Amino acid sequence: MVQVCLNGARTAADSPAVPLSPAALARSAAEAVAAGATDLHVHPKTPCGRDTLAPDAVAATLEAIRGCVDVPVGVTTGAWAEDGPSTRVDRVRRWTVLPDHASVNWHEPGAEELAAALLDRGVDVEAGIWSGTDGAARFAASPLAPGVLRVLAEVTDPDPATAVRSAHALLEDLAAVPHGRPVLLHGEEASTWPVLALAVRLGIPTRIGLEDTLVLPDGRRAASNAELVAEAVRRYGCARRVVVGRPGS
């Protein structure tokens, strides 16, 4: 599984390639799926480009994307998208079009209540567990942990020299969580490609997209989400060919 993270909290100031409007997100989603993405993660935006959980923005984004692709679509519920935990829960309860799943960062205030509201509405939850936070410990103690769709193991270490070590530490923390759930491992910014390479070696799901990085492994600016996805898929394909080609396999 390669999930594509289409835009994140980025704006047009980060790169003209970042899709913001529902129409641009739909085009980018279609290109990314054609390149091999099997799941989508998106940040709905206000007209001025700020992340939001407002029902009208979520509905417009989901309807546009679903008009172009037939894969699961998830949205963010990051604390920065709304003013306070209670507002996030209220927004979710007033959604008129539901995503297939939504990410909940377990270290953020109100995570349990937000995840419960999503599950009550029939929306699957991706538990965002960030390195360098108490998210793993909070998640381990949560009665909701057995019911989440998967864990997003998010390596926030910005140093590519230490990011893989941080990823291993995060995976070890998650391995100790009772009722373990499937894990999707990814990095961000300079750690994106080293952590993706680790996910490929371990044979576990990952994600890639303009939310996590604006550049290809060789440092060139990515022209699109599809270009990033194609490179990630190519790396998984190379890894599979190496395994299949081993003597005695």
Side-chain angles (χ1 to χ4, degrees), residues 1 10 12 16 20 32 49 57 72 140 154 163 175 178:
M1 171 187 168
R10 298 192 192 273
L20 301 174
E154 307 196 18

Side-chain angles (χ1 to χ4, degrees), residues 16 20 41 72 76-77 104 106 109 130 140 142 151 157 164 173 175 180 189 208 218:
L20 301 174
H41 173 78
T76 185
T77 63
V104 176
W106 230 263
W130 293 19
S142 173
V151 171
D157 185 344
V164 170
D173 289 343
E189 303 301 355
I208 193 69
D218 61 6

